[in-house]
Amino acid sequence: MPRWLPRAMVLALALVACFQLATWGFHQLISLLLNVLIAFFLALAVEPAVSWMAARGMRRGLATGLVFLSILVAAAGFFALLGSMLAGQIATMVEEFPQYLDSVISWMNSTLHSHLSRVEVQNNLLRSDWLQKYVQDSANNVLAVSATVLGSLFNLLTVALFSFYFAADGPRLRRALCSVLPPRRQEEVLRAWEIAVAKTGGYLYSRGLMALISGLAHYVLLELMGVPYAPALGMWVGLVSQFIPTIGTYLAGALPILIAFTVDPWHALWVFGFVVIYQQFENYLLQPRITAKTVDIHPAVAFGSVVAGTALMGAVGALIAIPATATLQAFLGAYVKRYAVPDDLRVHGKTRRRRAADLLSRVRHAAEREEARTGGKDAAGQDAAVEQDAAAERGTPDAG
């Protein structure tokens, strides 16, 4: 047996063990890594506001705390309004449940010629096996639900803590990362960081402004129509429609349409029409003006990036897909060299063909005029040369 074979086998086993250990560690830390990634993009989003307040004399830590406090207050207000709306709807459904049950029973008795009563239906429902099993399973899953809620709160606190430190110590973090790189690489890293900050912050602020406009518009409509919970519904439509691309408006509009239907079916139709019209207004007039200087992504690219991010990282990928795509697009636009492309007549149609034919005709006419002018000068020169030769021939015998 060769001497190198045992060493090679030991080295191969060591490499396999290291690979297995790294894979196990990655799977154990994947939740933490996702939280850090979310915190990084959140810090990039709030860094322009923090830097703006820090440039005016405020301490960076205090500025970061104020920004996060405003975000916390806005989120708490949104969930409070949404929770009050849901609680009111549930209370209304519980109060009107006997009436709904009486109407269903009367319809069944008249249609199926049965003799049901509300008391009989309630007793059968309360004594049913599936209801008892559902209550028992819910009681057994209380600990699992509690663990899930506590885990979600822990992840939220982890994201908030990391994003606070990333935003508060942004310059120090960039300096620490660039200190291990050569000067040329430092410029590239700082440029990429600035692009990421500008695009992520621009995406957040432009979406926030459009969410405010959309929420106010839908709130005014719902308030004028007398639909209950108009503030909560307006805020719901604004946030969901802007932070879920392409189909977010229609998903957000489903809830106010349903609430309006409980008031009057015609109200639901009017709300549906307003949602469709506002989507067109936003796509063709509002969004191009707001995102022209911040984040300009084609809707198909935005939707594809969200689908890809969801497939890769679930809800986290859907959350950071558009800022990451905007950053990548801006980075490629800054470093990728572009060249001029001639016009494609198949794209521009007959107008381009007509313009090209007119241009070619003008060039041809100019060439013909230049050729005629040049040809006349040559003929005049030839006549003068002939006359000079004839005079010379006549003067030769006299000279002799």
Side-chain angles (χ1 to χ4, degrees):
M1 183 175 60
R3 296 180 179 178
W4 56 267
L5 185 58
R7 296 180 180 178
M9 294 177 63
V10 172
L11 181 61
L13 292 176
L15 291 176
V16 172
C18 291
F19 176 76
Q20 294 292 336
L21 182 62
T23 304
W24 174 81
F26 177 78
H27 284 292
Q28 294 296 321
L29 297 176
I30 190 169
S31 178
L32 177 62
L33 295 176
L34 289 177
N35 291 334
V36 171
L37 183 62
I38 298 174
F40 177 72
F41 273 95
L42 183 59
L44 292 180
V46 302
E47 186 166 350
V50 174
S51 300
W52 182 82
M53 287 188 285
R56 283 155 178 79
M58 187 178 295
R59 294 180 57 185
R60 195 172 180 89
L62 179 60
T64 306
L66 290 178
V67 172
F68 275 88
L69 180 62
S70 62
I71 294 175
L72 179 62
V73 170
F78 170 72
F79 284 110
L81 289 176
L82 191 63
S84 64
M85 182 187 68
L86 293 177
Q89 290 296 318
I90 292 174
T92 302
M93 291 178 61
V94 171
E95 291 177 358
E96 297 180 355
F97 179 75
Q99 299 178 4
Y100 293 148
L101 185 59
D102 289 337
S103 61
V104 172
I105 291 174
S106 62
W107 178 83
M108 293 181 63
N109 290 333
S110 61
T111 304
L112 303 177
H113 303 289
S114 57
H115 302 282
L116 297 176
S117 62
R118 186 204 302 176
V119 177
E120 182 181 358
V121 172
Q122 290 178 349
N123 292 332
N124 292 332
L125 183 63
L126 293 176
R127 296 175 182 176
S128 60
D129 295 336
W130 67 269
L131 181 61
Q132 296 178 0
K133 184 178 180 181
Y134 175 77
V135 172
Q136 184 178 1
D137 293 339
S138 300
N140 294 331
N141 293 331
V142 169
L143 294 178
V145 173
S146 302
T148 303
V149 172
L150 291 177
S152 301
L153 291 177
F154 179 77
N155 291 333
L156 183 62
L157 292 176
T158 303
V159 170
L161 182 64
F162 274 105
S163 58
F164 179 84
Y165 284 125
F166 286 158
D169 294 337
R172 189 183 305 174
L173 178 61
R174 287 193 291 270
R175 192 180 301 111
L177 292 177
C178 293
S179 62
V180 297
L181 299 174
R184 181 178 301 177
R185 297 297 180 185
Q186 291 179 6
E187 295 179 359
E188 295 180 357
V189 170
L190 291 177
R191 186 176 182 181
W193 196 295
E194 292 176 357
I195 291 174
V197 170
K199 293 302 178 180
T200 306
Y203 167 76
L204 180 64
Y205 298 139
S206 61
R207 289 292 170 179
L209 180 58
M210 288 192 295
L212 178 62
I213 297 174
S214 176
L216 289 176
H218 288 84
Y219 162 72
V220 171
L221 174 71
L222 297 173
E223 188 69 25
L224 291 177
M225 298 178 65
V227 178
Y229 310 106
L233 291 175
M235 187 178 295
W236 164 267
V237 173
L239 292 177
V240 175
S241 63
Q242 298 307 319
F243 290 96
I244 299 179
T246 307
I247 61 174
T249 301
Y250 305 105
L251 292 178
L255 183 59
I257 289 173
L258 181 61
I259 301 299
F261 185 81
T262 60
V263 178
D264 190 350
W266 286 104
H267 288 2
L269 185 61
W270 281 105
V271 173
F272 175 76
F274 182 81
V275 168
V276 174
I277 294 174
Y278 183 83
Q279 175 70 13
Q280 306 307 316
F281 166 75
E282 180 183 287
N283 289 340
Y284 293 102
L285 294 178
L286 186 62
Q287 183 173 351
R289 296 177 182 273
I290 294 179
T291 60
K293 297 181 180 180
T294 55
V295 178
D296 189 9
I297 304 178
H298 193 275
V301 178
F303 183 72
S305 63
V306 171
V307 173
T310 305
L312 291 175
M313 293 183 293
V316 177
L319 182 65
I320 65 176
I322 293 182
T325 303
T327 303
L328 180 61
Q329 178 178 331
F331 189 76
L332 292 178
Y335 286 95
V336 175
K337 187 177 180 180
R338 296 181 179 272
Y339 301 91
V341 179
D343 292 336
D344 191 352
L345 298 180
R346 295 173 298 179
V347 176
H348 298 287
K350 295 182 179 179
T351 303
R352 289 290 187 181
R353 294 192 185 96
R354 189 178 298 109
R355 291 178 181 176
D358 294 341
L359 179 61
L360 183 61
S361 178
R362 287 196 296 268
V363 172
R364 186 182 297 112
H365 289 316
E368 291 177 355
R369 287 196 299 270
E370 183 68 20
E371 183 179 357
R373 186 169 57 85
T374 305
K377 289 182 178 181
D378 293 341
Q382 291 177 1
D383 294 340
V386 170
E387 291 179 357
Q388 292 177 0
D389 292 341
E393 289 178 359
R394 288 195 300 270
T396 301
D398 294 339

